[in-house]
Amino acid sequence: MTTASAPLAAAERHDPMLVLQDVSKRFGQKQAVERLSLTLYAGEVFAFLGPNGAGKTTTMKMSTGLLRSDTGSVWACGHSMHVHGRDAKQYIAYVPDQPFLYDKLTGREFINFARDMYGVPPETGRQRLDTLAERLDMGSFLDQLTESYSHGMKQKVALAAAMIHNPRLVVVDEPIVGLDPRTIRVIKDIFREIAADGGTVFMSTHTLDIAEAVADRIGILNDGRLVALGTLDELKNQATNSGRLEDIFLSVTSGGSVLNSAEKSVRDGTP
């Protein structure tokens, strides 16, 4: 685990970037996440799948410090989220499925606000924004008030604001909803570039094609518990059906599992 004083840039590929150990979260009578253990590594794009209400968003919010787990521990970017959450958050970006922007700011002003919050030098931020604006095709609306934006426009600005401080752990919930095919391709490229640079992308999606195309590993959550984990090939090899991701997903979310014995031990906390 990276110490609090060690620069994150020194992390090697495959070092732990996010560690969830035996975490649980309950809301009233609803057990949203139950004894979940999961490690994400530097240099990977991880796709998190599951039906509605499976606990994906709750897990992501615990990973970013927006929610505190009832049990267990969360380590992000070498820091305990429970003890040194502020230190961890300087390396994290979170993009929710419903991006929130300030209506009376332009897209550029909102991104610059995020830049200043993270202490990014203005000139560095300007150069990064210029690149992002070109890649995400934001030039035609970046200086308009965000109250006039479509969902896709908001999604682009929220993603650019999240990327402005060059985060090492990008947590993004349903990243492609409302986006056109060209932008989807650009976002997939950006995610792969983050991983190639030693960062980590933690992506929740209902779009199985995106998971197949981009993810290094896939985890499937059902009723708050991890029921499948591995590369696409590993999941296919462990499956008893046709091996298509759609069939694997439907099988494990209907009571099956393709976790191997070692992964079950990690998930359940047993030796």
Side-chain angles (χ1 to χ4, degrees):
M1 195 78 64
T2 309
T3 63
S5 60
L8 190 66
E12 299 292 336
R13 289 175 63 87
H14 311 303
D15 281 351
M17 189 72 79
L18 175 66
V19 180
L20 306 174
Q21 184 62 50
D22 203 29
V23 298
S24 300
K25 187 67 181 179
R26 175 182 289 274
F27 299 99
Q29 298 300 311
K30 170 66 174 178
Q31 186 70 49
V33 177
E34 184 174 0
R35 299 182 64 191
L36 173 64
S37 293
L38 178 66
T39 300
L40 273 58
Y41 298 95
E44 77 169 337
V45 177
F46 186 92
F48 210 30
L49 311 180
N52 291 330
K56 303 185 301 298
T57 296
T58 298
T59 300
M60 291 183 143
K61 288 184 175 180
M62 289 190 291
S63 300
T64 59
L66 292 174
L67 284 176
R68 188 180 182 92
S69 62
D70 297 332
T71 66
S73 61
V74 179
W75 285 77
C77 304
H79 302 277
S80 167
M81 191 60 74
H82 293 169
V83 180
H84 300 293
R86 180 175 294 183
D87 295 325
K89 289 175 185 178
Q90 66 181 311
Y91 300 114
I92 298 173
Y94 175 59
V95 184
D97 60 341
Q98 294 292 331
F100 173 81
L101 307 179
Y102 295 110
D103 287 349
K104 299 305 180 182
L105 294 181
T106 67
R108 187 184 304 276
E109 289 169 339
F110 181 82
I111 295 168
N112 287 342
F113 170 72
R115 176 201 70 193
D116 293 342
M117 287 287 290
Y118 282 104
V120 178
E123 179 59 23
T124 301
R126 185 191 66 77
Q127 293 173 1
R128 289 177 182 168
L129 178 53
D130 287 347
T131 299
L132 288 166
E134 180 178 357
R135 296 190 70 180
L136 295 172
D137 195 21
M138 298 191 296
S140 63
F141 60 84
L142 194 57
D143 293 303
Q144 298 174 10
L145 293 179
T146 64
E147 64 183 1
S148 67
Y149 284 6
S150 67
H151 178 85
M153 293 175 181
K154 290 180 179 180
Q155 192 80 345
K156 290 180 180 183
V157 168
L159 182 63
M163 300 299 300
I164 201 67
H165 66 293
N166 194 27
R168 308 310 294 151
L169 173 61
V170 178
V171 182
V172 56
D173 201 350
E174 294 292 347
I176 65 168
V177 173
L179 297 179
D180 59 88
R182 177 191 175 277
T183 304
I184 291 172
R185 175 60 184 268
V186 171
I187 289 176
K188 289 194 294 185
D189 290 344
I190 289 173
F191 287 172
R192 291 306 326 166
E193 290 163 10
I194 292 169
D197 193 41
T200 303
V201 177
F202 187 13
M203 170 184 67
S204 169
T205 182
H206 287 298
T207 308
L208 301 186
D209 289 346
I210 297 298
E212 288 184 303
V214 179
D216 297 292
R217 288 193 302 149
I218 297 168
I220 302 178
L221 201 66
N222 191 45
D223 291 332
R225 296 175 68 86
L226 194 65
V227 293
L229 177 65
T231 66
L232 182 58
D233 286 343
E234 287 171 345
L235 295 184
K236 288 179 177 179
N237 289 338
Q238 295 168 25
T240 58
N241 49 38
S242 68
R244 296 171 61 239
L245 181 58
E246 180 182 23
D247 293 332
I248 295 169
F249 177 87
L250 293 174
S251 173
V252 300
T253 56
S254 300
S257 176
V258 295
L259 289 171
N260 62 35
S261 58
E263 289 165 338
K264 286 181 179 178
S265 296
V266 171
R267 182 200 67 183
D268 296 334
T270 56

